[in-house]
Amino acid sequence: MPDISIIPQPQKITIYKGTFPIASNIPILTDAANKKNAVYLKRLLSPLPNQKVKSSHAVHLNIRTKDKSLGKEGYHLKITPKEIAIEALTTAGIFYGIQTLRQLLPPELEYGKPLVKQEYVVPCVEISDFPRFTWRGFMLDEGRHFLGKDIVLRTLDLMALQKLNVFHWHLTEDQGWRIEIKKYPLLTKIGSYRAGTGTMFKGRHDGIPHGGFYTQAEIKEIVNYATDRHILIAPEIEMPGHSLAALASYPYLSCTGGPFEVATNFGIFPDIYSAGKDSTFAFLQDVLGEVLNLFPSPFIHICGDEAPKARWKKCPDCQKRIHEDGLKDEHELQVYFTNRIITWLAKKGRRVIGWNEIMQEGLREDAVVQYWLGKKEKLIEEIREHGRDVIVSTYLSTYLDHSHALTSLKDAYEFEPDFPELTEEESSHILGLEPPLWTEWVPGKARMDFQTYPRLTAFAETAWSSREGKNFDEFEMRLKGFLRRLDVLEVAYAGARKVKPSFFARLFKMFTIAIPQTKTARRK
């Protein structure tokens, strides 16, 4: 029996006797729709040696529309001694079939360099596969630490390997603005650089300047790269809170007029966008207009969390807005703020996502909530009463910046994003799962790898594979083969040793569970 270690676990796999000889010069026969997938597969196979190929041997990539049971992202892969055939309803399905084929090939293929001249084969199998969730995400915060284009492209490649399909890109923060906006050049000239990075001691920083941003040309390149890998990039532009970098650049957007500096330390800051000034909305619409031209994503994330109301309470413009619009208080003012942005984006054909603090009475029903902390009863009520769509990113279970002692690999694998209280129809509003990586203490690739892997791999399996077929011990066995592939890809993942939570980790988890939603621990 061949050693087959595929992650995420396919829905159905049948192993047959025999093998198919695979080589770099194997013909790839495809329909017109799959030309890009064929180029991708050709490049993937290029390190293999050339072999004498029989005229009947080939790889076939074809759209087949008769069988719709596997859905838009499912695929059927069949390997016989004579051919490899991947069929699907869409090019995305074909691409995921290629990722499964990739894991049947030797890990050393990932070096991208010519392999030794010997025969390579893949086992004869038949796989019918499809994802459990439509939203299989990973969030990277580059507001706290700018990591750069090469790391983002590498991240997209690793996501593709694991059949993840949404890259949530956190691009603006108190500590840095990372996207070029041509109408407002000070956002990158001033807002993308800070004097240093905070230490564990409040008010202190290391004195080492940190900065960087993406030009619009770079973002277009990254978006195209992601599109070729069937990954949607959902950008996040923070509002109304976590906006010090923007306020340092354009102080008139605030309640007090400043001056401000780009934050060097981490936390929640009182100065946020003024919700009473029309100039604030003009600025945000201009910014979002350029964002829309860069990102074809139907979803735009506007954050909406951790927005202190102290400045709004004393701001004449905000108080005037509350009075003139008949709002009850500053919390209703934030609903007004959020709905105004949602309405503007809806006219552009886009849909807003926000962290679950936006989930207040009066919020437009088309807003998607990203659930990270708080009572799930409120979330269930929103699903039942308003048909609210939800992305699950539970703080204590999915945050990759947490230590492995606090959230172990087993914890990650056994996390369940659905709620048993929901009916099957109600559960359809759970779009999927998205583990975030906040980067206060993630300055570069090595730390990013350590925090992310292999826990992201465990979440990827939950997002794709059936709930009934999950088994952690069996996953660990398959993970051994997957980690050999990560070794070749030079991913500096955390060791597989089991880490028991320390006393302080257990205490932290107990304390955080007990915090009410109105006084949460920092999301970031």
Side-chain angles (χ1 to χ4, degrees), residues 47-302:
L48 293 169
N50 287 335
Q51 292 184 22
K52 194 171 183 179
V53 179
K54 293 182 180 180
S55 59
S56 61
H57 285 185
V59 178
H60 300 268
L61 309 177
N62 290 296
I63 299 294
R64 290 284 186 266
T65 58
K66 289 183 180 179
D67 181 10
K68 293 181 169 54
S69 62
L70 299 180
K72 292 182 179 180
E73 295 182 290
Y75 64 91
H76 182 261
L77 166 65
K78 189 171 185 178
I79 303 176
T80 71
K82 292 184 178 181
E83 68 172 9
I84 297 175
I86 303 176
E87 298 178 351
L89 280 175
T90 65
T91 55
I94 297 292
F95 183 79
Y96 296 132
I98 290 172
Q99 296 308 313
T100 295
L101 174 62
R102 180 181 177 182
Q103 292 192 42
L104 295 173
L105 294 163
E108 55 266 29
L109 186 83
E110 306 291 350
Y111 281 121
K113 299 175 182 178
L115 299 179
V116 295
K117 291 198 173 183
Q118 57 175 302
E119 185 179 65
Y120 289 89
V121 298
V122 288
C124 291
V125 297
E126 185 171 4
I127 296 174
S128 293
D129 200 11
F130 56 89
R132 179 184 175 194
F133 291 107
T134 58
W135 191 284
R136 306 180 302 280
F138 169 62
M139 194 224 77
L140 178 63
D141 161 31
E142 284 204 84
R144 276 40 176 269
H145 278 97
F146 178 75
L147 299 171
K149 185 179 76 171
D150 289 345
I151 287 181
V152 170
L153 296 179
R154 175 179 183 262
T155 296
L156 293 170
D157 279 328
L158 290 169
M159 289 178 64
L161 175 62
Q162 299 165 99
K163 301 186 177 75
L164 295 169
N165 68 344
V166 180
F167 179 55
H168 173 177
W169 203 4
H170 188 82
L171 288 167
T172 72
E173 254 304 336
D174 294 308
Q175 294 80 19
W177 185 283
R178 308 299 179 203
I179 175 173
E180 178 189 22
I181 302 297
K182 293 185 182 294
K183 189 168 183 177
Y184 298 97
L186 297 185
L187 289 172
T188 47
K189 185 177 181 179
I190 294 174
S192 68
Y193 294 93
R194 63 175 182 260
T197 301
T199 66
M200 290 291 188
F201 300 99
K202 189 174 181 180
R204 298 185 184 181
H205 63 78
D206 58 15
I208 303 171
H210 178 83
F213 65 92
Y214 293 98
T215 66
Q216 294 198 2
E218 288 175 319
I219 287 176
K220 289 176 182 177
E221 178 187 347
I222 291 168
V223 168
N224 289 335
Y225 195 86
T227 301
D228 287 346
R229 284 148 185 79
H230 298 273
I231 294 172
L232 171 75
I233 299 184
E236 181 174 359
I237 307 298
E238 290 254 12
M239 61 185 81
H242 289 287
S243 49
L244 264 181
L247 300 185
S249 307
Y250 296 96
Y252 75 86
L253 300 168
S254 70
C255 290
T256 66
F260 306 102
E261 294 181 352
V262 178
T264 55
N265 285 279
F266 307 114
I268 301 172
F269 297 90
D271 289 292
I272 65 177
Y273 290 120
S274 170
K277 296 178 178 179
D278 286 334
S279 57
T280 297
F281 293 97
F283 166 83
L284 291 172
Q285 288 169 12
D286 288 340
V287 168
L288 289 172
E290 294 193 32
V291 169
L292 300 188
N293 289 334
L294 295 170
F295 296 94
S297 165
F299 297 96
I300 304 296
H301 206 302
I302 65 167

Side-chain angles (χ1 to χ4, degrees), residues 308-323:
K309 308 299 189 291
R311 296 290 188 257
W312 286 2
K313 289 179 179 180
K314 296 181 179 180
C315 173
D317 296 306
C318 291
Q319 293 304 309
K320 182 180 178 183
R321 178 86 68 192
I322 290 172
H323 175 71

Side-chain angles (χ1 to χ4, degrees), residues 333-402:
L333 180 60
Q334 184 169 350
V335 176
Y336 165 88
F337 182 107
T338 305
N339 281 345
R340 186 163 170 173
I341 296 296
I342 293 173
T343 300
W344 186 85
L345 283 169
K347 291 177 181 177
K348 307 291 183 181
R350 309 299 179 98
R351 197 172 174 195
V352 159
I353 304 171
W355 300 98
N356 58 260
E357 282 93 328
I358 71 169
M359 195 171 60
Q360 303 294 332
E361 185 177 350
L363 178 70
R364 279 184 51 143
E365 292 186 351
D366 51 344
V368 178
V369 165
Q370 188 157 6
Y371 175 60
W372 73 281
L373 190 64
K375 294 181 178 180
K376 70 175 183 179
E377 289 78 14
K378 170 64 175 172
L379 191 71
I380 290 170
E381 180 183 318
E382 283 283 316
I383 292 172
R384 286 176 174 165
E385 293 189 7
H386 302 289
R388 181 79 64 199
D389 287 338
V390 174
I391 299 161
V392 178
S393 300
T394 310
Y395 174 69
L396 287 175
S397 302
T398 69
Y399 274 38
L400 295 169
D401 43 301
H402 287 171

Side-chain angles (χ1 to χ4, degrees), residues 440-484:
E440 289 96 332
W441 318 116
V442 182
K445 182 173 72 172
R447 189 70 198 185
M448 178 180 174
D449 283 356
F450 178 84
Q451 291 298 133
T452 305
Y453 291 99
R455 291 183 296 184
L456 181 60
T457 308
F459 288 123
E461 176 141 313
T462 295
W464 181 280
S465 305
S466 70
R467 181 178 182 177
E468 295 74 22
K470 288 181 63 177
N471 180 288
F472 180 68
D473 292 337
E474 192 272 339
F475 169 75
E476 278 196 307
M477 294 298 295
R478 283 183 289 113
L479 184 63
K480 293 176 182 178
F482 190 85
L483 292 181
R484 287 196 291 272

